[in-house]
Amino acid sequence: MGERVYTFQMDGAVQERIAHECRQCCAFCDRLVQPAGCIEANCPYLYVYDDEQTGGRYMGCLNKVFRGEIDVELFREAEKTRHGFGGVKMSGRPTSFCRFTVERAYHGEGEAFDCVNPEFFEGPEPVDGLHSFDLRDRL
């Protein structure tokens, strides 16, 4: 058998996922998008659709800043509570409309839990979603 040669590059999605989580200390931090912020900012990339089979209404992000689709009814119920709906793990590049937070998975004391990557809290540079969906330059 000969040596295998791969002719394609690996998808950039792996790099995006890594960019939104930090595992350099024992705290394990993740960037979370706040869907309530998308609604407050009247984000043009937030979509809503009705599922005809279940009768449910769902919302999501056209730019895939977060990948999951959220049940609107559950979101509204959670927003009525003191803590609100909360955040959804960021999976793509944020736009200027995005409001995000960083949450630690583990809290502890000592050197193992001391942050060694404070730049992670600044977040990635937002992209203008209009350019990412404009195909005129590529046609």
Side-chain angles (χ1 to χ4, degrees):
M1 293 211 137
E3 183 178 329
R4 286 188 178 182
V5 178
Y6 294 99
T7 59
F8 59 91
Q9 291 184 343
M10 188 173 194
D11 185 21
V14 172
Q15 294 171 354
E16 284 293 326
R17 184 184 64 77
I18 293 169
H20 300 302
E21 55 186 38
C22 180
R23 304 294 188 254
Q24 294 184 24
C25 70
C26 290
F28 286 15
C29 296
D30 293 311
R31 289 191 184 116
L32 304 178
V33 177
Q34 304 296 322
C38 303
I39 294 169
E40 290 170 14
N42 200 23
C43 179
Y45 307 109
L46 185 68
Y47 67 86
V48 177
Y49 76 93
D50 294 319
D51 185 348
E52 293 178 9
Q53 291 181 345
T54 65
R57 178 171 277 186
Y58 299 91
M59 65 181 176
C61 178
L62 286 173
N63 281 342
K64 297 298 181 195
V65 176
F66 62 92
R67 292 201 189 280
E69 292 182 331
I70 300 167
D71 184 313
V72 173
E73 184 64 31
L74 293 175
F75 175 81
R76 287 183 180 148
E77 290 299 316
E79 282 295 294
K80 293 177 185 177
T81 67
R82 181 170 46 111
H83 296 291
F85 181 80
V88 178
K89 189 169 180 180
M90 189 182 289
S91 61
R93 281 220 170 268
T95 67
S96 56
F97 295 98
C98 297
R99 187 175 81 195
F100 78 92
T101 58
V102 174
E103 289 193 13
R104 295 172 59 127
Y106 304 106
H107 294 276
E109 296 181 23
E111 189 176 321
F113 290 92
D114 291 343
C115 182
V116 296
N117 186 13
E119 296 85 25
F120 181 76
F121 289 83
E122 295 171 13
E125 283 293 315
V127 295
D128 181 0
L130 294 174
H131 296 295
S132 64
F133 279 85
D134 190 353
L135 298 175
R136 291 176 287 191
D137 296 331
R138 293 181 223 136
L139 293 178

